[in-house]
Amino acid sequence: MSTDFFSAFINTFKRELVRIVSRPIYLLTTVAVMGFCYLFFLTLFEEGLPNKMPMAMVDLDNSSLSRQFTRNLAVTQQADVCMHLNSHTEARKEMQKGKIYAFVEIENGFAQKVLSNRRPKITFYVNESYLVAGSLLYKDISYMSVLTSGAMQRQVLRARGVDESKMMGIIQPIVIDNHSIGNPWANYGIYLLNLLFPGVLQLIILSITVFAIGVELKERTSHLWMSSANNSIFIALTAKLLPYTILLSALGMIANILLFNFMNYPLNSSIVWMFLATFLFVVAYQAIGVLIIGIVPVLRDGITLVAFYGLLGFTYAGFTFPIEQMPYAVQIFDKFFPIRYYFKIYVDQALHGADLKYSFFSFIALALFLLLPLVVLKRLKNAAIKENMPIN
């Protein structure tokens, strides 16, 4: 390569460094935002999932059996029986106030019906408006109800003289041997933070890319930008975006180190592959940012498109709702979101420790996004040189 190429590249690179240092918004929207996310979410998910969530008991029987059920429920991981109320109405009002997430109602005559084999009912109400709290309490209450039913059956069978070795076959004829793959601890952080951090990062990448280019057009300084690059749009873009590539890739890799080394989240392959995926993830979204500002070379409109596209990325990542269960007309668009391929790499490499060949296509797909700016290079160059964009 010629000396002119390197000289133009270095001049444009230095010019962008000066702009970054002179405007606090660049560091605030990158380092400060991601730093806050690391601190907030790692603290929030320090224990993996919420524990001891408030619930109430409405024990209308008040027998030794119902009190034993209450004590057993209180020692489960998620349930904290913080209220003992006298009626369904009281419990409903406390739930409406948001003071409890669930309550269990034990009917009058519960113990008597158990002893006479009349199938008493344990009724529980869960506020599913709070998805996580409601789901976890529902699981613990259901589990304890099943255990209580089994314990009662065991006492009845024992009173009838059934052999101890045959009791469990009668109570539970089929035993389910359940093994959770990848996240046996049911740790919410493991399958949320590894996509939540990249999800926030993709919004930052898109926004900072569109802003860095769009602000040149808005302030009519793009001719200076192009002049520093000898009017080469390739040099202008690569040198301008390189500082952000380095900074954003470093922030993404810091997230990997925090999650896999300090939080000890599962990593069943080399962290090098996650670093590579993070780097390709960053440059892929930068390429999409260039495409957006090239199609709509107005800062205001570009940021609007970034917000719309970036938020859709959370949906199309596939970690909250399976892509395969979406309508086919919706499924086909998941190919246009780099975060989807990053998620596949994370599952195959970090969680499953699969052979690298299973992630090869995802790595290639991330790299192919780098071809997108070629579509708008000529249009973006004309906009930058002529500076015919309206000032907003």
Side-chain angles (χ1 to χ4, degrees), residues 13 241-253 279 282 286:
F13 182 79
L241 297 180
L242 182 58
Y244 305 105
T245 304
I246 296 171
L247 177 61
L248 295 168
S249 296
L251 290 173
M253 292 176 188
F279 172 75
V282 170
Q286 284 185 307

Side-chain angles (χ1 to χ4, degrees), residues 63-363:
S63 62
S64 59
L65 186 59
S66 64
R67 291 194 298 272
Q68 181 63 45
F69 175 82
T70 301
R71 288 192 294 270
N72 291 341
L73 185 58
V75 298
T76 58
Q77 184 177 2
Q78 271 78 46
D80 177 20
V81 182
C82 62
M83 294 183 183
H84 294 268
L85 305 175
N86 298 318
S87 68
H88 174 90
T89 302
E90 287 184 31
R92 177 177 55 80
K93 290 180 178 178
E94 293 298 327
M95 181 178 286
Q96 290 174 336
K97 293 176 184 177
K99 294 184 178 180
I100 57 174
Y101 296 116
F103 67 90
V104 177
E105 186 175 337
I106 300 178
E107 64 179 343
N108 189 22
F110 173 76
Q112 185 179 0
K113 289 182 179 180
V114 168
L115 297 176
S116 59
N117 291 327
R118 284 189 289 160
R119 301 181 66 189
K121 295 180 180 179
I122 295 177
T123 308
F124 54 89
Y125 301 83
V126 179
N127 189 350
E128 289 288 356
S129 299
Y130 300 94
L131 180 61
V132 175
S135 299
L136 293 176
L137 283 175
Y138 178 86
K139 181 189 71 172
D140 271 11
I141 296 171
S142 301
Y143 179 68
M144 189 53 60
S145 300
V146 171
L147 286 183
T148 301
S149 176
M152 293 301 100
Q153 290 182 55
R154 188 168 186 172
Q155 287 187 16
V156 171
L157 292 174
R158 185 175 291 146
R160 292 177 179 177
V162 177
D163 189 84
E164 290 282 346
S165 62
K166 298 180 179 179
M167 284 185 188
M168 290 309 298
I170 297 174
I171 296 171
Q172 189 178 18
I174 299 175
V175 179
I176 299 175
D177 190 12
N178 185 22
H179 296 273
S180 298
I181 299 176
N183 186 12
W185 313 274
N187 185 327
Y188 273 53
I190 289 176
Y191 60 81
L192 281 180
L193 295 189
N194 280 285
L195 265 297
L196 191 58
F197 286 162
V200 175
L201 187 61
Q202 56 127 3
L203 289 174
I204 294 174
I205 298 167
L206 290 168
S207 300
I208 204 70
T209 302
V210 169
F211 180 83
I213 298 172
V215 75
E216 298 270 16
L217 299 171
K218 179 180 179 180
E219 297 179 351
R220 297 186 180 275
T221 58
S222 57
H223 71 284
L224 299 175
W225 168 40
M226 293 300 298
S227 296
S228 67
N230 287 342
N231 286 333
S232 169
I233 189 63
F234 174 78
I235 297 175
L237 284 175
T238 53
K240 186 178 189 65
L241 297 180
L242 182 58
Y244 305 105
T245 304
I246 296 171
L247 177 61
L248 295 168
S249 296
L251 290 173
M253 292 176 188
I254 288 172
N256 289 330
I257 293 172
L258 289 174
L259 294 175
F260 298 128
N261 288 1
F262 287 91
M263 299 297 291
N264 295 316
Y265 285 179
L267 178 63
N268 295 308
S269 65
S270 173
I271 198 172
V272 172
W273 302 124
M274 294 307 301
F275 282 167
L276 177 60
T278 300
F279 172 75
L280 292 175
F281 176 83
V282 170
V283 294
Y285 271 108
Q286 284 185 307
I288 293 172
V290 173
L291 178 69
I292 290 174
I293 195 63
I295 294 174
V296 187
V298 179
L299 179 58
R300 177 189 57 201
D301 298 337
I303 292 296
T304 302
L305 285 177
V306 160
F308 177 74
Y309 174 82
L311 291 176
L312 279 178
F314 286 94
T315 300
Y316 279 102
F319 74 106
T320 54
F321 190 87
I323 299 294
E324 294 76 14
Q325 297 303 312
M326 295 180 180
Y328 181 75
V330 177
Q331 289 184 34
I332 58 177
F333 292 104
D334 74 323
K335 307 296 187 298
F336 303 107
F337 293 86
I339 194 171
R340 175 61 177 165
Y341 300 104
Y342 182 89
F343 177 58
K344 290 181 177 180
I345 293 171
Y346 164 67
V347 170
D348 288 338
Q349 297 303 310
L351 292 184
H352 296 164
D355 192 277
L356 191 60
K357 65 183 180 181
Y358 294 104
S359 301
F360 181 75
F361 174 77
S362 296
F363 280 112

